[in-house]
Amino acid sequence: MLHFQGFHSDPINMLEFWFSSDISRSKKFVILIITLLIALGLYHSHPMPLDVLLMFAGAGIIFLISRYLKQHFAQNNPTGLLYRLLTWIPIALLLTLLFMKTMNNLMWWGIQGIAFMALAVFVFSPQFLLKTTATIAPKDH
């Protein structure tokens, strides 16, 4: 099991490794491939309906939007209402999808849905796979 220092145990915050500059590109790429293989393997063995799959992918996009808004509008006040709201929206959406759409097939569709949600995050934010940590040289005056 992967453990990254400073990350919480809920599934939404576990996606934060993708945006960390401390994690190497090769590790991110390996995790992307493993997630893709898990999602495709589960889809091949017990496919979930396309509308449910798209809902989970949409939850990944909602996560990205909420994360962007938190970083740019609510980062200065992490105990404020906006920050908390933007943290809980993706979690509530994920839990709603799990319990409303996958309850009869929670093991197959739930894991598959979370994998497709993670893939949506990875696919729609590829710059974090390709971004390297740049060191800023001091300016000469």
Side-chain angles (χ1 to χ4, degrees), residues 16-139:
E16 287 293 327
F17 79 90
W18 187 255
F19 306 100
S20 174
S21 59
D22 296 336
I23 309 297
S24 70
R25 284 186 276 166
S26 59
K27 284 184 183 178
K28 290 179 184 179
F29 186 72
V30 167
I31 292 170
L32 170 68
I33 297 300
I34 290 171
T35 305
L36 180 65
L37 292 174
I38 288 170
L40 292 177
L42 289 172
Y43 187 79
H44 179 68
S45 67
H46 195 85
M48 74 169 127
L50 183 62
D51 61 334
V52 177
L53 187 146
L54 292 175
M55 285 185 211
F56 277 103
I61 293 170
I62 297 292
F63 165 77
L64 287 174
I65 293 168
S66 295
R67 185 182 185 281
Y68 176 81
L69 291 173
K70 272 194 325 191
Q71 280 188 326
H72 293 285
F73 298 112
Q75 188 174 17
N76 295 336
N77 189 8
T79 58
L81 179 63
L82 181 61
Y83 190 90
R84 290 179 185 192
L85 185 66
L86 291 171
T87 299
W88 281 100
I89 286 174
I91 295 171
L93 182 59
L94 180 62
L95 291 174
T96 301
L97 288 172
L98 285 173
F99 291 115
M100 295 297 292
K101 295 294 184 177
T102 67
M103 200 57 195
N104 294 334
N105 297 301
L106 189 59
M107 185 66 163
W108 293 102
W109 291 358
I111 296 169
Q112 193 177 147
I114 291 172
F116 278 109
M117 179 185 170
L119 283 175
V121 170
F122 301 161
V123 167
F124 289 107
S125 60
Q127 71 275 16
F128 291 100
L129 177 62
L130 304 174
K131 184 169 40 171
T132 59
T133 53
T135 57
I136 300 172
K139 293 182 182 180

